[in-house]
mmCIF file of all heavy atoms in Angstrom:
data_model
loop_
_atom_site.group_PDB
_atom_site.id
_atom_site.type_symbol
_atom_site.label_atom_id
_atom_site.label_comp_id
_atom_site.label_asym_id
_atom_site.label_seq_id
_atom_site.Cartn_x
_atom_site.Cartn_y
_atom_site.Cartn_z
ATOM 1 N N LEU B 609 -5.527 125.440 -79.150
ATOM 2 C CA LEU B 609 -4.253 125.776 -79.788
ATOM 3 C C LEU B 609 -4.199 127.219 -80.275
ATOM 4 O O LEU B 609 -3.169 127.681 -80.715
ATOM 5 C CB LEU B 609 -4.084 124.893 -81.033
ATOM 6 C CG LEU B 609 -3.344 123.588 -80.965
ATOM 7 C CD1 LEU B 609 -3.415 122.893 -82.327
ATOM 8 C CD2 LEU B 609 -1.890 123.828 -80.619
ATOM 9 N N SER B 610 -5.331 127.888 -80.295
ATOM 10 C CA SER B 610 -5.413 129.163 -81.014
ATOM 11 C C SER B 610 -5.137 130.360 -80.113
ATOM 12 O O SER B 610 -5.843 130.584 -79.121
ATOM 13 C CB SER B 610 -6.809 129.295 -81.634
ATOM 14 O OG SER B 610 -7.039 130.616 -82.045
ATOM 15 N N PRO B 611 -4.123 131.177 -80.452
ATOM 16 C CA PRO B 611 -3.881 132.397 -79.678
ATOM 17 C C PRO B 611 -5.053 133.378 -79.815
ATOM 18 O O PRO B 611 -5.291 134.179 -78.909
ATOM 19 C CB PRO B 611 -2.600 132.967 -80.294
ATOM 20 C CG PRO B 611 -2.484 132.344 -81.637
ATOM 21 C CD PRO B 611 -3.176 131.021 -81.568
ATOM 22 N N LEU B 612 -5.768 133.286 -80.922
ATOM 23 C CA LEU B 612 -6.896 134.212 -81.116
ATOM 24 C C LEU B 612 -8.039 133.875 -80.161
ATOM 25 O O LEU B 612 -8.690 134.740 -79.592
ATOM 26 C CB LEU B 612 -7.400 134.156 -82.559
ATOM 27 C CG LEU B 612 -6.367 134.429 -83.644
ATOM 28 C CD1 LEU B 612 -7.026 134.390 -85.019
ATOM 29 C CD2 LEU B 612 -5.691 135.765 -83.414
ATOM 30 N N TRP B 613 -8.260 132.595 -79.975
ATOM 31 C CA TRP B 613 -9.294 132.139 -79.039
ATOM 32 C C TRP B 613 -8.933 132.585 -77.614
ATOM 33 O O TRP B 613 -9.781 133.072 -76.863
ATOM 34 C CB TRP B 613 -9.435 130.624 -79.122
ATOM 35 C CG TRP B 613 -10.427 130.015 -78.172
ATOM 36 C CD1 TRP B 613 -10.158 129.260 -77.075
ATOM 37 C CD2 TRP B 613 -11.857 130.110 -78.253
ATOM 38 N NE1 TRP B 613 -11.322 128.873 -76.454
ATOM 39 C CE2 TRP B 613 -12.382 129.383 -77.161
ATOM 40 C CE3 TRP B 613 -12.742 130.734 -79.137
ATOM 41 C CZ2 TRP B 613 -13.758 129.265 -76.932
ATOM 42 C CZ3 TRP B 613 -14.111 130.620 -78.912
ATOM 43 C CH2 TRP B 613 -14.600 129.896 -77.809
ATOM 44 N N GLU B 614 -7.652 132.431 -77.288
ATOM 45 C CA GLU B 614 -7.176 132.833 -75.963
ATOM 46 C C GLU B 614 -7.426 134.330 -75.737
ATOM 47 O O GLU B 614 -7.914 134.749 -74.685
ATOM 48 C CB GLU B 614 -5.674 132.531 -75.870
ATOM 49 C CG GLU B 614 -5.041 132.824 -74.521
ATOM 50 C CD GLU B 614 -3.543 132.460 -74.514
ATOM 51 O OE1 GLU B 614 -2.830 132.779 -75.499
ATOM 52 O OE2 GLU B 614 -3.096 131.861 -73.526
ATOM 53 N N MET B 615 -7.124 135.124 -76.763
ATOM 54 C CA MET B 615 -7.323 136.564 -76.643
ATOM 55 C C MET B 615 -8.806 136.901 -76.523
ATOM 56 O O MET B 615 -9.208 137.729 -75.715
ATOM 57 C CB MET B 615 -6.721 137.288 -77.858
ATOM 58 C CG MET B 615 -5.204 137.219 -77.888
ATOM 59 S SD MET B 615 -4.527 137.603 -79.515
ATOM 60 C CE MET B 615 -4.380 139.368 -79.378
ATOM 61 N N TYR B 616 -9.608 136.214 -77.339
ATOM 62 C CA TYR B 616 -11.064 136.420 -77.281
ATOM 63 C C TYR B 616 -11.583 136.096 -75.880
ATOM 64 O O TYR B 616 -12.373 136.830 -75.300
ATOM 65 C CB TYR B 616 -11.732 135.548 -78.345
ATOM 66 C CG TYR B 616 -13.212 135.301 -78.148
ATOM 67 C CD1 TYR B 616 -14.145 136.303 -78.401
ATOM 68 C CD2 TYR B 616 -13.668 134.043 -77.739
ATOM 69 C CE1 TYR B 616 -15.510 136.058 -78.231
ATOM 70 C CE2 TYR B 616 -15.020 133.795 -77.569
ATOM 71 C CZ TYR B 616 -15.939 134.803 -77.814
ATOM 72 O OH TYR B 616 -17.273 134.555 -77.642
ATOM 73 N N LYS B 617 -11.098 134.995 -75.325
ATOM 74 C CA LYS B 617 -11.540 134.584 -73.993
ATOM 75 C C LYS B 617 -11.053 135.559 -72.916
ATOM 76 O O LYS B 617 -11.694 135.708 -71.875
ATOM 77 C CB LYS B 617 -11.020 133.164 -73.693
ATOM 78 C CG LYS B 617 -11.860 132.085 -74.349
ATOM 79 C CD LYS B 617 -13.236 132.113 -73.727
ATOM 80 C CE LYS B 617 -14.160 131.041 -74.221
ATOM 81 N NZ LYS B 617 -15.504 131.154 -73.626
ATOM 82 N N ASP B 618 -9.903 136.202 -73.181
ATOM 83 C CA ASP B 618 -9.389 137.208 -72.242
ATOM 84 C C ASP B 618 -10.064 138.559 -72.431
ATOM 85 O O ASP B 618 -9.704 139.542 -71.783
ATOM 86 C CB ASP B 618 -7.872 137.383 -72.434
ATOM 87 C CG ASP B 618 -7.089 136.203 -71.870
ATOM 88 O OD1 ASP B 618 -7.694 135.403 -71.126
ATOM 89 O OD2 ASP B 618 -5.896 136.071 -72.178
ATOM 90 N N GLY B 619 -10.999 138.617 -73.357
ATOM 91 C CA GLY B 619 -11.742 139.863 -73.560
ATOM 92 C C GLY B 619 -11.040 140.868 -74.471
ATOM 93 O O GLY B 619 -11.423 142.032 -74.527
ATOM 94 N N VAL B 620 -10.035 140.400 -75.229
ATOM 95 C CA VAL B 620 -9.337 141.312 -76.152
ATOM 96 C C VAL B 620 -10.181 141.473 -77.422
ATOM 97 O O VAL B 620 -10.660 140.486 -77.973
ATOM 98 C CB VAL B 620 -7.948 140.742 -76.528
ATOM 99 C CG1 VAL B 620 -7.246 141.638 -77.543
ATOM 100 C CG2 VAL B 620 -7.099 140.531 -75.295
ATOM 101 N N ASP B 621 -10.363 142.706 -77.854
ATOM 102 C CA ASP B 621 -11.046 142.934 -79.132
ATOM 103 C C ASP B 621 -10.005 142.808 -80.239
ATOM 104 O O ASP B 621 -9.105 143.635 -80.368
ATOM 105 C CB ASP B 621 -11.677 144.332 -79.137
ATOM 106 C CG ASP B 621 -12.355 144.630 -80.474
ATOM 107 O OD1 ASP B 621 -12.278 143.775 -81.385
ATOM 108 O OD2 ASP B 621 -12.946 145.724 -80.588
ATOM 109 N N LEU B 622 -10.141 141.739 -81.035
ATOM 110 C CA LEU B 622 -9.106 141.437 -82.031
ATOM 111 C C LEU B 622 -8.973 142.520 -83.096
ATOM 112 O O LEU B 622 -7.941 142.648 -83.737
ATOM 113 C CB LEU B 622 -9.378 140.083 -82.681
ATOM 114 C CG LEU B 622 -9.263 138.875 -81.740
ATOM 115 C CD1 LEU B 622 -9.631 137.592 -82.459
ATOM 116 C CD2 LEU B 622 -7.858 138.759 -81.172
ATOM 117 N N ASN B 623 -10.037 143.298 -83.253
ATOM 118 C CA ASN B 623 -9.972 144.362 -84.265
ATOM 119 C C ASN B 623 -9.072 145.513 -83.834
ATOM 120 O O ASN B 623 -8.683 146.333 -84.654
ATOM 121 C CB ASN B 623 -11.373 144.897 -84.558
ATOM 122 C CG ASN B 623 -12.235 143.831 -85.205
ATOM 123 O OD1 ASN B 623 -11.773 143.107 -86.078
ATOM 124 N ND2 ASN B 623 -13.477 143.725 -84.752
#
Side-chain angles (χ1 to χ4, degrees):
Chain B
L609 267 176
S610 166
L612 304 182
W613 178 251
E614 183 179 44
M615 291 162 88
Y616 162 74
K617 280 295 183 183
D618 286 347
V620 177
D621 178 357
L622 294 177
N623 294 318

